[in-house]
């Protein structure tokens, strides 16, 4: 029996791809709390080993987990997966990264089970198909194709499948780049760009909670209290000028998209303890989601936002606030220059048959850990999909196959 070519193997792999992705989707890795990470990482190690990579699980120390997770999640251990393919004579290493956790589900899905992985008219449905177990399946298929065709990559290959990207990545990619035995020279984070777009950066975010302090009193004597809701409302209005000034800042991405920082108030808001219809509210809380441009820093955005909150509160008589940091994700940007970006652009254009553009994602992902902490050229690209984080999340089988072709082509054409 003759050895198949890379192209013919991948062209005939729709069933192989859907079987693999269905297996991944059916392992419910909802985060929070972090379900079935043990089963999923054992499965991923097995699938990497089947492609010929040396693969193992990396256990995140329990002390680190207790430091980073709320007590309700201490019984949900964290693991990351690392696979390696050492190519004789290769001097440089290309690292592929994807997260295996998914967001919670809600609502009524077209095919019933959101973890079923049903295939319908060229689409595969299920939580994680688009974000981002589809990327994992595409990469595994690309590696299978290389082995089946007897083709070696031009570089050493590292693969990491990491936890907790849907929360803050502290025990996932952040832990991996700081503690795992990796030595990448280039990285592909397998989301952020799709179709004919390659991601070369992304926004960051700063999340704060603002607590507005009032004074409780009987509802029949409101003059004896300080109404936290009224102070909170005034504070929100006082931030309007800052929101307008933020909207005047711009960053133009390589594809020409003009991006602006944003601030969303009250994604979560609540009153404090003791709330009752006939009581003056003594406390109010609301969150702030400040999106950080790729050319800004999370630290700078937080410092500025705290100053604006304090200024606004000082302008309101009797308004006392406490500002609590929830978390942050750092932005990143790499000018799409040099052979790594040029080769990826050629791979995408060849497979997708459309001119490649370089974009900057308005959301955030794990690119910055490799770009900033490892200091290496990093791009984002995956098969994408529809209805990320929503009901009837799905990915097109053809796009998954095309993505596998792009990964395989990059591995066999990029010289490093």
């Amino acid at each position: 029996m003759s050895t198949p070519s890379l192209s013919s193997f991948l062209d005939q792999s729709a069933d192989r791809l859907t079987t693999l992705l269905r297996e991944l989707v059916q392992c419910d890795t909802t985060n929070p709390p972090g379900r079935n990470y043990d089963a999923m990482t054992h499965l991923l190690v097995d699938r990497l080993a089947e492609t010929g990579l040396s693969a193992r699980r990396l256990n995140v120390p329990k002390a680190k987990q207790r430091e980073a997770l709320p007590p309700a999640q201490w019984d949900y251990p964290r693991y990351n997966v690392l696979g390696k393919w050492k190519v004789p004579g290769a001097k440089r290493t290309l690292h592929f990264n994807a997260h295996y956790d998914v967001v919670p589900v809600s609502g009524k899905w077209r095919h019933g089970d959101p973890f079923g992985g049903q295939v319908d008219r060229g689409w595969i449905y299920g939580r994680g198909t688009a974000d981002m177990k589809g990327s994992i399946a595409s990469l595994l298929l690309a590696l299978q194709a290389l082995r089946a065709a007897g083709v070696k990559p031009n570089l050493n290959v590292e693969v990491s499948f990491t936890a907790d990207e849907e929360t803050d990545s502290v025990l996932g990619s952040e832990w991996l780049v700081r503690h795992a035995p990796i030595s990448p020279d280039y990285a592909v984070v397998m989301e952020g760009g799709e179709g004919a777009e390659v991601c070369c950066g992304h926004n960051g975010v700063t999340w704060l909670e603002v607590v507005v302090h009032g004074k409780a009193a009987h509802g029949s004597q409101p003059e004896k209290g300080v109404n936290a809701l009224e102070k909170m409302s005034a504070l929100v209005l006082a931030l309007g000028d800052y929101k307008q000034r933020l909207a005047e800042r711009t960053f133009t991405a390589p594809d020409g998209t003009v991006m602006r920082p944003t601030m969303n108030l009250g994604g979560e808001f609540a009153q404090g303890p003791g709330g009752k219809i006939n009581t003056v509210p003594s406390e109010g809380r609301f969150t702030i989601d400040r999106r950080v441009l790729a050319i800004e820093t999370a630290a700078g955005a937080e410092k500025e936002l705290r100053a604006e909150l304090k200024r606004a509160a000082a302008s309101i008589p009797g308004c006392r606030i406490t500002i609590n940091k929830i978390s942050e994700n750092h932005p990143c940007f790499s000018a799409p220059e040099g052979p790594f970006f040029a080769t990826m652009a050629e791979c995408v254009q060849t497979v997708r048959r459309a001119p490649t553009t370089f974009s900057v994602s308005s959301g955030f992902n794990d690119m910055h850990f490799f770009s900033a902490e490892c200091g290496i050229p990093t791009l984002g690209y995956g098969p994408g999909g529809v209805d990320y984080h929503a009901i009837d999340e799905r990915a097109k089988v053809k796009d998954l196959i095309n993505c596998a072709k792009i990964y395989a082509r990059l591995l066999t054409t990029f010289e490093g």
Side-chain angles (χ1 to χ4, degrees):
M1 183 175 181
S2 61
T3 301
S5 67
L6 274 173
S7 180
S8 63
F9 182 93
L10 291 168
D11 282 335
Q12 298 169 23
S13 291
D15 289 343
R16 183 181 287 105
L17 183 285
T18 54
T19 297
L20 177 57
L21 182 50
R22 186 182 301 113
E23 183 179 41
L24 299 177
V25 170
Q26 288 175 349
C27 186
D28 173 5
T29 50
T30 298
N31 177 33
R35 294 183 188 136
N36 300 313
Y37 282 11
D38 180 65
M40 173 57 80
T41 51
H42 275 299
L43 173 62
L44 291 172
V45 166
D46 289 344
R47 295 298 167 265
L48 282 172
E50 288 171 359
T51 70
L53 273 68
S54 62
R56 60 189 175 116
R57 299 198 312 169
L58 303 173
N59 296 4
V60 179
K62 289 183 178 180
K64 181 65 176 176
Q65 295 180 47
R66 285 179 173 256
E67 176 185 316
L69 296 173
Q73 295 182 40
W74 286 355
D75 291 331
Y76 294 87
R78 264 49 181 175
Y79 308 95
N80 297 301
V81 170
L82 179 62
K84 293 186 177 184
W85 184 350
K86 299 291 289 186
V87 178
K91 296 181 179 179
R92 296 183 180 272
T93 299
L94 175 57
H95 190 108
F96 288 86
N97 167 265
H99 67 86
Y100 62 78
D101 60 320
V102 300
V103 298
V105 298
S106 62
K108 184 177 181 180
W109 286 55
R110 179 178 302 177
H111 297 285
D113 184 3
F115 298 101
Q118 292 85 355
V119 179
D120 183 4
R121 300 179 185 179
W123 293 81
I124 181 166
Y125 287 73
R127 178 60 84 232
T129 50
D131 184 17
M132 63 181 299
K133 292 177 179 178
S135 295
I136 295 175
S138 291
L139 178 64
L140 290 172
L141 182 63
L143 295 171
Q144 289 177 8
L146 290 174
R147 291 294 187 182
V151 177
K152 292 181 180 179
N154 291 329
L155 302 89
N156 298 313
V157 181
E158 290 180 347
V159 177
S160 61
F161 298 138
T162 50
D164 287 8
E165 192 272 349
E166 296 296 0
T167 46
D168 57 13
S169 299
V170 169
L171 303 178
S173 288
E174 180 177 313
W175 184 89
L176 179 98
V177 301
R178 294 178 180 179
H179 302 288
I182 62 173
S183 54
D185 297 290
Y186 310 92
V188 176
V189 173
M190 298 188 290
E191 65 177 342
E194 59 187 77
E197 289 189 357
V198 177
C199 182
C200 60
H202 59 74
N203 282 353
V205 69
T206 292
W207 285 337
L208 300 179
E209 178 193 58
V210 181
V211 183
V212 181
H213 303 284
K215 179 183 177 183
H218 197 282
S220 66
Q221 297 176 311
E223 70 280 0
K224 292 186 177 182
V226 177
N227 192 307
L229 174 63
E230 292 177 357
K231 301 302 179 185
M232 185 167 67
S233 300
L235 181 63
V236 169
L237 291 174
L239 291 171
D241 176 64
Y242 177 54
K243 289 183 72 172
Q244 290 182 348
R245 284 186 279 120
L246 279 180
E248 294 172 1
R249 301 179 190 173
T250 62
F251 165 67
T252 303
D255 64 356
T257 301
V258 178
M259 308 182 75
R260 293 177 169 82
T262 60
M263 183 172 69
N264 181 55
L265 305 178
E268 295 179 359
F269 59 93
Q271 68 179 98
K276 196 169 182 288
I277 193 169
N278 61 342
T279 300
V280 174
S282 62
E283 183 180 289
R285 298 169 177 263
F286 68 96
T287 57
I288 300 179
D289 178 317
R290 162 68 155 92
R291 296 290 158 148
V292 182
L293 288 180
I295 56 171
E296 297 182 296
T297 66
E302 180 185 347
K303 181 179 179 181
E304 179 184 86
L305 180 52
R306 285 178 177 272
E308 290 293 334
L309 282 163
K310 291 175 182 177
R311 178 200 59 77
S315 70
I316 302 166
C319 183
R320 296 186 302 110
I321 64 172
T322 299
I323 305 169
N324 301 317
K325 183 173 183 175
I326 299 174
S327 68
E328 66 184 6
N329 281 84
H330 298 280
C332 72
F333 174 71
S334 297
E337 301 167 351
F340 182 50
F341 291 96
T343 304
M344 186 62 170
E346 184 277 331
C347 293
V348 171
Q349 183 164 328
T350 299
V351 173
R352 302 293 307 191
R353 301 183 184 278
T356 304
T357 59
F358 286 96
S359 62
V360 174
S361 175
S362 59
F364 56 85
N365 55 52
D366 282 347
M367 284 177 61
H368 68 92
F369 292 114
F370 297 91
S371 176
E373 299 213 21
C374 295
I376 59 175
T378 303
L379 57 82
Y381 190 83
V386 176
D387 290 331
Y388 297 77
H389 291 200
I391 295 171
D392 289 333
E393 179 183 351
R394 59 200 180 275
K396 185 177 288 187
V397 175
K398 184 178 180 180
D399 288 336
L400 294 161
I401 297 290
N402 281 337
C403 187
K405 291 181 177 180
I406 290 167
Y407 292 156
R409 187 174 181 85
L410 179 65
L411 285 164
T412 55
T413 59
F414 180 51
E415 299 288 346

